[in-house]
Amino acid sequence: MSTAPSNKFLPSPKTVAILGCPFSGGQSKLGVDKGPIHLVEAGLIDQIEGLGWRVVFDGHHQFEDIPAHPLAPSPPPNDISSNDSAVATLDASLAKLKNPLFVARVCESVADAVQAHAESGQLPVTLGGDHSLAMGTISGTLRAYDQACVIWIDAHADINTIESTDSGNIHGMPLSFLLGLNPPAPNPDSILAKYEWVSRLPSERLVYIGLRDIEKGEKDILKKHNIKAFSMHEVDRYGIGKVVEMALDHVNPQRDRPIHLSFDVDALDPSVAPSTGTPVRGGLTFREGHYICEAIHETGLLVALDLMEVNPALADAESVRQTVTVGCSLVRSALGETLL
């Protein structure tokens, strides 16, 4: 059953734009690019239409025509022309990044698409794909709604900088680019210059729910920039209802800002959503995840939704079916499906 509190930002008829983004370049595990295809094939479009939404879906985005030139390796330290140690450190940091040009170009393309749909009065629902795509989805939202806030549901903070990342996987870094935490590009040819299109999200307009696997460098970043985060400790202590209320009080105290909800399925416990790239025990229950989506819908402020990191290649067929089914159910809850 669905309920439809009026959305303060969307015109009638209320319209969802599905952006299928079969992209895996922000991390190294194969299969996450198949997530959007499985979600759509599971009947998600019909399910959304059943809630009273008009749905626009023009097929999955194709990224084959976007050049994926690899980053040329940095010269060895003895060959660096500048004696400036900061330059040498920056070069070494950039050399760790995996597929940085490809990720930048794909995410910029996604940003353009999200912006176009949002400015047309539609609610973009982006199906990933890995979570590096959020650089694009949130940038697109901020171009259309410059006062938007972000509620980030995830087991991981995804806020590593180019200096703090160990893996170089950019799906663990999107928020560092969105918050402007990386150093400026030293020149127009730098890899960092390819990310200058990324919109800036003020740190006070970001809140996390569900964190439980945070690297030390990320903990330092969260503390340094006073970024609000509700880990699973707070969920256990206060209950999910109170946590969502406190999260909204932080990023949207007057309940007047547009909300971008970015949901990584690994926020859920692996017993609920096993088919994902970086599962971590002790996560959100089925109902806790759905409550978050239901509560955000009830605000009437949702303007964009991401569902990320469904990976059909990492589990048996039944686990894949379970994860895809949960993913579809989360989207429906964020768009108005209720228990009664």
Side-chain angles (χ1 to χ4, degrees), residues 131 151-160 171-172 174-175 207-216 218-219 222 229-235 262-271 273 276-285 289 292 308-309 330:
H131 218 164
I151 300 177
W152 190 279
I153 315 300
D154 206 321
H156 310 91
D158 292 352
I159 200 168
N160 269 310
H171 78 155
L175 283 164
V207 66
Y208 292 95
I209 298 176
L211 296 184
R212 60 190 182 278
D213 185 15
I214 309 116
E215 297 175 16
K216 182 185 183 303
E218 293 181 304
K219 290 181 181 180
L222 295 177
F230 295 94
S231 70
M232 287 306 300
H233 174 84
E234 283 74 38
V235 173
S262 196
F263 203 121
D264 186 324
V265 295
D266 73 21
L268 301 171
D269 191 80
S271 64
T276 187
T278 48
V280 185
R281 291 184 302 171
L284 297 169
T285 66
I292 293 168
M308 302 296 188
E309 298 282 358
L330 290 169

Side-chain angles (χ1 to χ4, degrees), residues 313-330:
L314 296 180
D316 60 87
E318 176 56 28
S319 295
V320 171
R321 185 203 64 78
Q322 176 184 341
T323 306
V324 169
T325 299
V326 169
C328 290
S329 183
L330 290 169

Side-chain angles (χ1 to χ4, degrees), residues 116-135:
H117 286 298
E119 290 180 346
S120 297
Q122 301 167 355
L123 192 158
V125 174
T126 304
L127 308 176
D130 74 61
H131 218 164
S132 68
L133 290 162
M135 267 187 292

Side-chain angles (χ1 to χ4, degrees), residues 75-256:
N78 291 339
D79 294 336
I80 294 175
S81 57
S82 170
N83 291 323
D84 187 344
S85 61
V87 173
T89 301
L90 178 59
D91 284 347
S93 296
L94 292 174
K96 289 188 297 183
L97 303 186
K98 297 172 183 173
N99 306 314
L101 285 175
F102 191 31
V103 172
R105 289 166 175 154
V106 166
C107 289
E108 185 173 14
S109 173
V110 171
D112 293 341
V114 169
Q115 177 186 4
H117 286 298
E119 290 180 346
S120 297
Q122 301 167 355
L123 192 158
V125 174
T126 304
L127 308 176
D130 74 61
H131 218 164
S132 68
L133 290 162
M135 267 187 292
T137 63
I138 293 171
S139 291
T141 295
L142 289 169
R143 293 174 187 174
Y145 302 98
D146 62 359
Q147 295 301 306
C149 61
V150 173
I151 300 177
W152 190 279
I153 315 300
D154 206 321
H156 310 91
D158 292 352
I159 200 168
N160 269 310
T161 64
I162 64 169
E163 291 96 349
S164 69
T165 179
D166 291 325
S167 70
N169 291 326
I170 300 178
H171 78 155
M173 303 173 64
L175 283 164
S176 74
F177 286 99
L178 284 159
L179 271 61
L181 304 183
N182 290 299
N187 59 68
D189 295 324
S190 168
I191 290 297
L192 288 172
K194 312 307 178 186
Y195 288 83
E196 289 180 344
W197 60 267
V198 178
S199 298
R200 289 292 174 261
L201 174 69
S203 60
E204 65 271 16
R205 283 198 257 141
L206 167 67
V207 66
Y208 292 95
I209 298 176
L211 296 184
R212 60 190 182 278
D213 185 15
I214 309 116
E215 297 175 16
K216 182 185 183 303
E218 293 181 304
K219 290 181 181 180
D220 294 341
I221 291 167
L222 295 177
K223 291 174 182 176
K224 177 180 178 181
H225 297 280
N226 197 29
I227 296 169
K228 193 69 171 178
F230 295 94
S231 70
M232 287 306 300
H233 174 84
E234 283 74 38
V235 173
D236 293 339
R237 181 176 182 179
Y238 298 111
I240 195 62
K242 182 64 174 176
V243 164
V244 173
E245 181 182 353
M246 291 189 292
L248 285 168
D249 285 343
H250 179 75
V251 294
N252 211 336
Q254 304 303 317
R255 302 299 192 270
D256 57 356

Side-chain angles (χ1 to χ4, degrees), residues 53-64:
W53 291 84
R54 177 174 169 266
V55 178
V56 174
F57 177 60
D58 298 325
H60 297 286
H61 282 251
Q62 301 300 316
F63 303 120
E64 288 83 357

